[in-house]
Amino acid sequence: MHLIRKLQNYAPLSEEERSALHDLGTRRQRVLNSRDDVIAQGERPGFVNLVLEGFACRYKILPDGRRQILSFFIPGDLCDLHNDVLGVMDHSIGAISPLRIAQIGPDEIEALMTRLPRLRRAFWWNELVGEATTREWLTNLGQRTGAERVAHLLCETFVRMRSIGLVDETGACPFPITQADLSDALGISIVHTNRMLQDLRAEGLIVLKGRTLQVDDLNALMRLANFEPSYLHLRRPGTEEPGGATEPDRETTA
């Protein structure tokens, strides 16, 4: 389960903690088609949605139909952990690709965190990483050039996918995000987005083919983007908790 792999970037998890997280993903599963809404702006939230398979996004629609994508969700991501405090949603969450999610009641989350306090800290870490990522996206929109924006988002997605074990030995990962999606996330036109992607291909940095992203020179792509992954707060291999706990990547990735 990708949520387990993700949270183990924060701290090694016990067998009991891994089992409890695995159980969350087996309840009230829902399958959506690409472009379906998980929940729309104005609707009352009833569940915390856990992405099991596929990609989703958080977005806003302006009155004239223009869309701003605010974040992307990949497998293992929890959408709005504390949305039960909202009366209605002030944004929408939609499927980018065929999507399978687990719908978890807020009371179930609270009971889990009460029973296993370290998971509460892991969930806090998860939320703080989300806030840090939002700050990085704001910097993208406000200060980076078009080329830097595209390269930065590709780096971010690739590193996030690698952290949950979804990058293969060739350096490729699923990438169902379209050029229109990139344009709506980065605040540049589709034509400009296409030109930036063509430049990255021509420079031998990436290959985009069949809804797959292959990064052939991650270091060069990171330099182009001025990408510093510390805001994702991922532990390096070999990092241990105080007291000599096992390094996260050696734990199960079920």
Side-chain angles (χ1 to χ4, degrees):
M1 184 183 181
H2 299 299
L3 176 62
I4 297 173
R5 179 71 179 259
K6 178 181 179 179
L7 293 182
Q8 285 182 155
N9 285 309
Y10 165 73
L13 300 177
S14 69
E15 180 61 34
E16 182 182 11
E17 289 163 340
R18 293 196 301 270
S19 178
L21 290 171
H22 185 272
D23 287 346
L24 286 181
T26 63
R27 307 173 190 176
R28 287 188 296 270
Q29 292 192 10
R30 180 184 175 195
V31 176
L32 297 96
N33 296 318
S34 178
R35 310 300 154 178
D36 286 350
D37 273 340
V38 176
I39 186 168
Q41 182 173 332
E43 292 182 352
R44 184 177 298 275
F47 298 102
V48 176
N49 296 291
L50 168 63
V51 178
L52 301 174
E53 296 176 3
F55 277 48
C57 70
R58 188 194 314 277
Y59 71 93
K60 296 273 290 187
I61 294 285
L62 298 181
D64 61 4
R66 285 175 293 166
R67 178 180 66 157
Q68 178 66 51
I69 289 180
L70 305 167
S71 62
F72 289 116
F73 296 109
I74 65 172
D77 283 347
L78 289 158
C79 307
D80 295 326
L81 184 61
H82 302 295
N83 65 8
D84 58 306
V85 303
L86 300 176
V88 295
M89 293 290 290
D90 56 24
H91 62 276
S92 300
I93 296 174
I96 291 288
S97 68
L99 187 70
R100 185 165 65 91
I101 61 174
Q103 296 181 312
I104 307 165
D107 55 333
E108 296 174 272
I109 295 283
E110 183 58 37
L112 180 64
M113 293 190 296
T114 299
R115 180 165 64 89
L116 300 169
R118 188 163 59 166
L119 288 184
R120 184 184 297 277
R121 293 183 62 85
F123 286 137
W124 282 347
W125 168 84
N126 178 71
E127 293 299 289
L128 290 172
V129 170
E131 292 178 11
T133 303
T134 297
R135 291 191 290 272
E136 202 66 29
W137 276 47
L138 288 172
T139 304
N140 241 14
L141 292 172
Q143 295 298 327
R144 293 191 176 103
T145 67
E148 289 170 339
R149 294 182 197 185
V150 172
H152 198 280
L153 183 51
L154 294 180
C155 285
E156 178 183 284
T157 305
F158 182 84
V159 169
R160 291 178 66 205
M161 293 291 279
R162 187 176 62 181
S163 75
I164 57 171
L166 289 181
V167 173
D168 67 22
E169 65 279 359
T170 70
C173 65
F175 193 79
I177 300 170
T178 67
Q179 291 188 22
D181 297 329
L182 287 173
S183 174
D184 287 349
L186 299 173
I188 57 180
S189 70
I190 295 179
V191 171
H192 195 184
T193 300
N194 179 268
R195 187 182 306 121
M196 298 299 97
L197 292 173
Q198 293 291 352
D199 289 346
L200 294 175
R201 290 188 184 102
E203 293 171 20
L205 301 181
I206 66 166
V207 176
L208 278 172
K209 185 177 181 181
R211 299 167 71 83
T212 298
L213 167 67
Q214 180 175 319
V215 177
D216 290 332
D217 192 338
L218 179 58
N219 288 333
L221 190 66
M222 290 171 67
R223 286 193 298 270
L224 174 62
N226 293 311
F227 180 79
E228 168 49 60
S230 60
Y231 70 94
L232 296 172
H233 299 283
L234 302 176
R235 290 180 177 271
R236 295 180 180 178
T239 299
E240 295 184 349
E241 285 283 280
T246 307
E247 189 276 313
D249 282 350
R250 296 179 186 173
E251 300 282 355
T252 180
T253 59

